[in-house]
């Protein structure tokens, strides 16, 4: 989903998460009106990785086990390696600091993706996730998303279109208008 700042892209994500409620109309996911879904069920089914992922003070392991309490150390170590956090850079007892302040932006994004993998959601929302990373890191993160979340609906919200060719559908939200773009339109949208 592309569009300028203020177009409502993040508001759409908040509606899908149930953080906001529609004044009128309905949103259906798999034929179910989201107004009928409990907040707890929504949190289990939908994972969000945004540009500033939030963590609570504690260790990497504590932040991951918050999502899946029974995950063993070996699995978590393998998961950290899969998202590109090797043992020299980060281990399970690494403190993340308040809101993740002890980690770099790239480490926070990778750890947030590891947390989303543990959650195993039906829907993954990537809200400006790659807005402040270089194109190499963006490519690595999106390749991981495509590999690990292939059976999941992913909503990738962005201002730019440098990675749009990798998605099944590209839509633009601008000035209250929602439009589906074809491959040709995407090439000219930037």
């Amino acid at each position: 989903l592309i569009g300028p700042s203020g177009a409502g892209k993040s508001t759409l994500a908040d509606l899908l998460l149930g953080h906001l409620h529609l004044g009128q109309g309905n949103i259906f996911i798999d034929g179910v009106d989201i107004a009928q879904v409990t907040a707890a069920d929504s949190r289990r089914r939908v994972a969000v990785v945004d540009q500033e992922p939030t963590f609570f003070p504690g260790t990497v392991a504590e932040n991951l086990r918050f999502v899946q309490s029974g995950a063993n150390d070996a699995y978590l170590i393998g998961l950290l390696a899969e998202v590109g956090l090797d043992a020299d850079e980060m281990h399970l007892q690494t403190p993340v600091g308040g809101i993740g302040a002890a980690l770099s932006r790239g480490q926070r994004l990778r750890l947030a993706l590891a947390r989303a993998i543990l959650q195993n959601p039906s829907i993954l929302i990537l809200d400006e996730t790659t807005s402040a990373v270089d194109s190499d890191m963006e490519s690595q993160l999106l390749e991981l998303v495509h590999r690990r979340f292939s059976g999941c609906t992913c909503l990738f919200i962005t201002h730019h279109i440098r990675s749009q060719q990798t998605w099944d559908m590209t839509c633009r939200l601008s000035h209250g208008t929602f439009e589906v773009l074809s491959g040709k339109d995407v090439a000219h949208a930037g």
Side-chain angles (χ1 to χ4, degrees), residues 29-111:
I29 298 175
D30 292 333
V32 176
D33 186 340
I34 64 168
Q36 306 305 313
V37 177
T38 67
D41 189 41
S42 177
R43 282 190 294 273
R44 280 189 298 277
R45 296 180 52 187
V46 181
V48 178
V49 178
D50 59 23
Q51 60 185 328
E52 291 297 332
T54 303
F55 301 95
F56 59 86
T59 65
V60 166
E62 290 167 332
N63 274 272
L64 292 174
R65 286 196 177 107
F66 179 76
V67 175
Q68 192 179 106
S69 60
N72 66 42
D73 285 356
Y75 179 75
L76 294 179
I77 291 167
L79 183 59
L80 290 176
E82 181 181 359
V83 299
L85 294 168
D86 63 39
D88 292 334
E89 181 179 14
M90 180 179 292
H91 52 82
L92 294 179
Q93 297 310 311
T94 298
V96 298
I99 68 170
L103 306 176
S104 72
R105 177 179 294 262
Q107 289 172 323
R108 287 193 307 267
L109 289 176
R110 290 173 187 278
L111 189 57

Side-chain angles (χ1 to χ4, degrees), residues 1-3 51 105 109 128-142 146 156-167 170 181 186-190:
L1 180 62
I2 61 173
Q51 60 185 328
R105 177 179 294 262
L109 289 176
E128 297 292 344
T129 303
T130 60
S131 64
V133 298
D134 63 36
S135 59
D136 287 339
M137 178 175 275
E138 179 181 52
S139 294
Q140 292 169 15
L141 293 173
L142 292 179
H146 284 289
F156 180 56
I157 298 170
T158 186
H159 291 289
H160 57 77
I161 59 168
R162 68 181 181 207
S163 298
Q164 297 309 310
Q165 70 278 6
T166 62
W167 304 100
T170 301
L181 304 175
V186 173
H188 294 85

